[in-house]
Amino acid sequence: MRLGSVVAPVLRVAGAPIGFAAATLIRLIRPVASSALQLLVVSDREEQTSSDA
């Protein structure tokens, strides 16, 4: 069975709600994403320096 023929009917019905949920999730994550990435970089650097010692 082909994936497209299975997914197409679902996307016709659920495509808009899935898109709305994805857009909402992105809007919620965007304000904290930069800070979260900075924390990851700092923690990764600390981890690397502690493993080098």
Side-chain angles (χ1 to χ4, degrees), residues 19-52:
F20 179 75
T24 302
L25 181 64
I26 290 168
R27 286 186 189 124
L28 289 172
I29 291 173
R30 187 177 292 172
V32 297
S34 178
S35 299
L37 286 174
Q38 287 176 353
L39 283 172
L40 286 172
V41 168
V42 168
S43 66
D44 187 45
R45 286 182 185 163
E46 288 175 356
E47 186 177 301
Q48 287 178 355
T49 56
S50 66
S51 66
D52 290 342

Side-chain angles (χ1 to χ4, degrees), residues 12-24:
R12 279 190 206 125
V13 175
I18 291 171
F20 179 75
T24 302

Side-chain angles (χ1 to χ4, degrees), residues 6-17:
V6 173
V7 174
V10 175
L11 286 179
R12 279 190 206 125
V13 175

